[in-house]
Amino acid sequence: MKKINQYEGKRVLVLGLAKSGTATAGLLHKLGAKVIVNDRSPLEGNEQAEYLLSKGMEVVCGGHPTSIFDQKIDVVFKNPGIPYHNPLVQLATEKGIPVLTEVELAYQISEAPIIGITGSNGKTTTTTLIDEMLAADDKSPLIAGNIGNVSVEVAQQATEKDIMVTELSSFQLMGTELFRPKISVFLNLFEAHLDYHGTLDEYGKAKAKIFSNQTKDDHAVVNADDAQVMKLAEGIQSIIVPFSTNETVDGAYLKDNYVCFKEEKIISIDQIVLPGKHNLENILAAVAAVKLSGVSNEAIIKVLTSFSGVKHRLQFIGELDGRRFYNDSKATNILATQKALSAFENNVVLLAGGLDRGNEFDDLLPYMSNVKVLVTFGETAEKLMRTASEAGIKQIKHVDNVEKAVPVAYEMSESGDVILLSPACASWDQYKTFEQRGDIFIDAVHKLK
């Protein structure tokens, strides 16, 4: 860990706890900051807040009182999920106080170079592929960020011999000022999180902060097939390395049924285990990033001939009576479900539904030709039923939740069918996380067996 002293003696507000806030507060305290922690949950029963209080930090719980700013605050580190219209964030902004996320702090202390991965879809799969390819070539990767390993915790362990492979959300990137990955990866951009960012333009600008501090000594791996990504990459200082599934580019691409980098054939598409055309984009992005990191073709081939997917992302669960079950609970938006449906030619029994963010599902219509049954649940059930009817799907069933959807889907299916959980919605109307939703699906499949 790099020795830094810019927080020594500073009054730093950590806004929101959970894993990242707790780790950030602990590190800042270690760095000599006077830490004030604010969390909207009451102190009683809040183990993280109680722990930080026992370490001598000032803790304010049960709301976000603006009176915190009655004392001088030098810096705010906020949980990425807290919106910018939060009264404390607004007040900090008005006062000209920096509002950062823990990714910035992780960068400041990390001795290891960083590969940063962002995009609307495919981040976790790409991040995991990069991590596994680096590991297969003994490059000592440390996986971190939005994938579940808190960046500031990982960065404290990182040395010059390591490589931090960091999944980055738009929420995290918005709170950066100096953050500079050695290799940035921007996978794609489409309408998502507009309830947070307001417009697609603002969402894109947040994602593009991944390029902001890169120099001519750094690389940017970008999707040549995504016009919006390419526009956001215009004029950046780093060396652009494109990837494309549609054309030959000066980077990673497909040719003669092979994955290629520059002019080198690496692996036949037929040898790749990971299903779905959309995953070829993730694979190309990962290949570009690791080739720039000096990884051998042998290591890349080893991973691509064995890696079958990340949990909750088009994850194969098993087969029962000729029916194949796939868990794609991470599909929290329409594009993700479009890509999941595109991965299968066979008859699909689709399990979908969840949080209603106000959108319709018309964009799913062109992708539902292989869906024979829809089993739906959650707040968006009626909207999805309308879309399914318009798509000509004859068998439509509304159930209470994912657990009840699985046996219903089994009964409505037959041998040779794919039973696919790909909700096209966030999980928060019924479940704490998409992981919880996916785990319930997995358990329900095992109960069938």
Side-chain angles (χ1 to χ4, degrees):
M1 183 176 92
K2 285 181 188 172
K3 302 284 189 206
I4 61 172
N5 58 15
Q6 63 255 50
Y7 299 108
E8 194 169 337
K10 300 290 186 183
R11 297 189 67 84
V12 183
L13 172 62
V14 176
L15 184 56
L17 283 179
K19 288 193 295 185
S20 68
T22 304
T24 300
L27 175 57
L28 288 164
H29 185 66
K30 191 190 297 185
L31 293 171
K34 297 174 181 177
V35 180
I36 305 104
V37 177
N38 175 229
D39 193 62
R40 69 178 180 182
S41 300
L43 180 60
E44 187 178 348
N46 189 332
E47 292 181 8
Q48 293 160 323
E50 289 174 348
Y51 168 76
L52 296 174
L53 186 63
S54 74
K55 293 294 181 181
M57 291 172 238
E58 183 181 337
V59 176
V60 180
C61 284
H64 297 304
T66 55
S67 58
I68 288 175
F69 282 91
D70 291 347
Q71 57 186 313
K72 183 175 183 289
I73 301 291
D74 296 298
V75 183
V76 175
F77 278 90
K78 78 172 191 68
N79 183 292
I82 293 174
Y84 281 78
H85 58 69
N86 174 281
L88 293 188
V89 178
Q90 284 187 323
L91 192 54
T93 304
E94 288 167 12
K95 290 176 175 287
I97 299 169
V99 178
L100 307 173
T101 55
E102 53 102 12
V103 169
E104 178 77 2
L105 183 59
Y107 168 73
Q108 291 170 355
I109 66 164
S110 176
E111 293 180 6
I114 295 173
I115 300 176
I117 301 96
T118 198
S120 298
N121 262 328
K123 293 187 297 296
T124 299
T125 297
T126 306
T127 301
T128 307
L129 281 167
I130 291 170
D131 176 70
E132 296 210 1
M133 289 172 181
L134 290 167
D137 210 27
D138 299 322
K139 299 293 185 186
S140 189
L142 300 171
I143 199 164
N146 203 39
I147 198 166
N149 302 318
V150 178
S151 295
V152 290
E153 289 183 342
V154 176
Q156 288 178 68
Q157 312 306 318
T159 71
E160 291 178 356
K161 296 178 181 179
D162 301 316
I163 301 174
M164 274 187 67
V165 184
T166 309
E167 179 183 332
L168 299 162
S169 69
S170 57
F171 305 161
Q172 291 169 315
L173 286 165
M174 275 190 80
T176 58
E177 286 187 346
L178 302 175
F179 176 76
R180 176 191 164 196
K182 186 68 181 167
I183 299 172
S184 62
V185 180
F186 197 152
L187 296 168
N188 46 52
L189 185 74
F190 69 95
E191 288 194 2
H193 304 304
L194 299 193
D195 51 342
Y196 187 101
H197 293 288
T199 66
L200 180 62
D201 185 51
E202 289 302 313
Y203 175 48
K205 284 179 184 175
K207 290 281 191 193
K209 288 195 79 175
I210 198 168
F211 303 135
S212 295
N213 299 303
Q214 287 193 294
T215 72
K216 59 182 176 58
D217 297 321
D218 305 318
H219 289 89
V221 175
V222 294
N223 188 348
D225 301 333
D226 190 315
Q228 294 176 110
V229 170
M230 296 307 291
K231 186 169 179 58
L232 288 165
E234 285 178 2
I236 65 173
Q237 299 304 304
S238 47
I239 300 167
I240 290 178
V241 180
F243 66 91
S244 172
T245 60
N246 296 328
E247 58 183 330
T248 300
V249 293
D250 188 23
Y253 57 94
L254 305 177
K255 186 177 182 181
D256 300 330
N257 207 44
Y258 268 77
V259 169
C260 304
F261 183 75
K262 301 291 185 175
E263 296 179 356
E264 189 178 16
K265 286 184 177 181
I266 297 175
I267 183 173
S268 166
I269 293 171
D270 298 333
Q271 293 177 266
I272 296 171
V273 176
L274 192 62
K277 183 185 175 185
H278 65 289
N279 274 320
L280 287 173
E281 293 182 355
N282 302 329
I283 287 164
L284 290 172
V287 166
V290 300
K291 288 293 284 184
L292 292 168
S293 304
V295 170
S296 69
N297 290 351
E298 290 74 21
I300 294 170
I301 292 166
K302 180 181 178 182
V303 171
L304 292 180
T305 52
S306 60
F307 181 77
S308 60
V310 178
K311 191 176 183 183
H312 307 300
R313 289 136 181 108
L314 213 56
Q315 174 196 8
F316 178 61
I317 303 303
E319 187 171 323
L320 178 64
D321 298 333
R323 299 147 170 89
R324 289 177 293 139
F325 291 82
Y326 287 85
N327 167 29
D328 193 38
S329 185
K330 180 62 171 68
T332 57
N333 54 57
I334 291 170
L335 180 62
T337 297
Q338 288 175 347
K339 291 187 173 183
L341 291 173
S342 298
F344 301 104
E345 294 179 4
N346 300 335
N347 290 332
V348 173
V349 178
L350 175 64
L351 282 60
L355 183 73
D356 191 347
R357 281 180 158 151
N359 58 284
E360 295 293 333
F361 293 90
D362 296 348
D363 289 344
L364 276 182
L365 281 169
Y367 297 84
M368 297 182 84
S369 58
N370 59 345
V371 177
K372 61 180 280 190
V373 179
L374 173 72
V375 183
T376 186
F377 46 83
E379 291 179 355
T380 56
E382 289 188 9
K383 288 182 176 180
L384 281 159
M385 290 168 77
R386 286 200 300 270
T387 303
S389 295
E390 194 173 337
I393 297 168
K394 303 298 183 190
Q395 300 183 76
I396 301 170
K397 186 76 173 178
H398 181 194
V399 297
D400 290 339
N401 52 45
V402 168
E403 187 175 17
K404 292 184 178 179
V406 172
V408 169
Y410 174 80
E411 290 299 330
M412 298 178 76
S413 64
E414 57 190 355
S415 180
D417 289 351
V418 166
I419 297 178
L420 169 68
L421 171 69
S422 189
C425 303
S427 60
W428 303 320
D429 59 332
Q430 293 183 304
Y431 306 101
K432 288 182 179 178
T433 62
F434 71 81
E435 292 97 338
Q436 183 189 43
R437 178 171 64 187
D439 287 338
I440 287 170
F441 174 78
I442 293 168
D443 289 345
V445 172
H446 291 324
K447 282 177 186 174
L448 281 179
K449 295 180 179 180

